[in-house]
Amino acid sequence: TEIYTLSLHDALPIWNANAQNWDWIAGNLSQIAVGSDGSVWGINSEGEIYRFNSQSQSWLQIPGSLRQIAAGFDGAVWGINFADQVYRLNPGTGLFAQVPGSLTQIAVGADGDAWGLNNESIYHFNRLTQSWNQIPGTLAEITVGTGGNVWGISGAGQIYEYNAETSSWISVPGTLRSITASADGAVWGVDSSNNIYQFIEPSQPVNVFHEIPGTLTQIAAGADGSVWGINSAGQIYTYNSAIQGWTYIADRKSTRLNSSHITIS
């Protein structure tokens, strides 16, 4: 798995799993997205779109302008511009084409399943009709794993899981400030005090989030089961399931890390 995170400096660190340290890539982005196939996309503060070329270790600018980008598998790349218009990558042309609809947040699963919010109204993209279907309910944040694994939180932090069979949202005990779902079914979140929670499928018919020791300001779960996060000081951690705890990631360049966002495949 390749891990990318944002720095407030003029270079972006990429996690080198073999060397267990960070390699630095020239560039400056305000948001980054990694697809389940390892494709890497980013946008800067001006909305310019970039795709990472692993062979040249550089960013290739793609025509267009976006303020948010989300990636599933190769070609399943979506974005929203500053006017809340929706765009989708056309794999044939390599360019982004506008899709009817207006969204304020977009989320894409590893299988390319696209969901979005317009303020707090919920929408799901129908691949057959190539249009957005409104889903009953309201959410402040939505996250998509794979195979219908969709979660969200309300403005008050209430947790919800989507039931595709009934086309409705199931309330889950607990409150979170942010939530993330991955392709392998893992769901993690942090609350307003930066406490960390992991969803564990219960034996009883009730969904439970269990608190994990530590505090993080943001967390992301990868398709391969890896879980990464950053704390309020910008320090980076990865979850070690063997010890049921967090391992601090640092190397000789760690003083340069001041991360504001992390996204993994």
Side-chain angles (χ1 to χ4, degrees):
T1 298
E2 291 181 324
I3 306 298
Y4 291 78
T5 181
L6 297 188
S7 169
L8 300 183
H9 301 275
D10 60 356
L12 296 112
I14 172 177
W15 177 248
N16 186 324
N18 294 324
Q20 291 292 295
N21 63 14
W22 297 92
D23 295 333
W24 290 83
I25 307 298
N28 193 324
L29 300 174
S30 59
Q31 196 228 324
I32 200 165
V34 183
S36 57
D37 60 346
S39 60
V40 185
W41 295 80
I43 51 177
N44 63 15
S45 57
E46 287 76 38
E48 295 173 335
I49 309 166
Y50 293 87
R51 181 171 187 171
F52 185 68
N53 186 317
S54 58
Q55 292 183 340
S56 64
Q57 293 287 288
S58 62
W59 296 93
L60 173 66
Q61 186 173 356
I62 306 298
S65 176
L66 297 173
R67 68 166 175 83
Q68 186 197 349
I69 195 166
F73 53 76
D74 191 27
V77 184
W78 294 74
I80 304 169
N81 69 7
F82 290 93
D84 295 338
Q85 296 170 322
V86 183
Y87 285 79
R88 178 177 54 177
L89 179 70
N90 183 329
T93 65
L95 303 176
F96 283 85
Q98 187 175 354
V99 176
S102 177
L103 296 175
T104 53
Q105 187 214 332
I106 195 164
V108 182
D111 55 1
D113 195 26
W115 289 70
L117 301 179
N118 186 340
N119 295 316
E120 293 194 346
S121 298
I122 308 163
Y123 291 86
H124 178 226
F125 189 73
N126 187 317
R127 298 180 186 179
L128 293 177
T129 63
Q130 293 291 293
S131 62
W132 295 95
N133 293 339
Q134 186 169 0
I135 305 297
T138 58
L139 292 173
E141 180 181 326
I142 194 168
T143 183
V144 185
T146 189
N149 183 30
V150 184
W151 293 72
I153 53 176
S154 69
Q158 177 63 55
I159 308 165
Y160 292 92
E161 179 184 10
Y162 186 67
N163 186 320
E165 293 182 358
T166 62
S167 299
S168 62
W169 297 92
I170 302 170
S171 179
V172 179
T175 58
L176 293 174
R177 173 178 54 79
S178 182
I179 192 169
T180 180
S182 75
D184 68 347
V187 184
W188 292 71
V190 294
D191 66 11
S192 57
S193 298
N194 296 333
N195 297 313
I196 307 162
Y197 293 85
Q198 178 189 18
F199 172 75
I200 298 177
E201 192 73 39
S203 57
Q204 301 297 323
V206 61
N207 298 326
V208 177
F209 275 85
H210 293 265
E211 186 172 358
I212 303 297
T215 58
L216 294 172
T217 56
Q218 198 251 325
I219 195 169
D224 61 352
S226 61
V227 183
W228 290 66
I230 55 176
N231 65 11
S232 57
Q235 296 170 317
I236 303 172
Y237 290 82
T238 183
Y239 187 69
N240 187 327
S241 58
I243 65 172
Q244 297 289 294
W246 297 91
T247 301
Y248 174 50
I249 302 299
D251 67 356
R252 58 187 174 85
K253 298 178 181 177
S254 62
T255 55
R256 296 182 61 188
L257 288 173
N258 189 349
S259 304
S260 59
H261 184 88
I262 187 168
T263 306
I264 63 180
S265 62

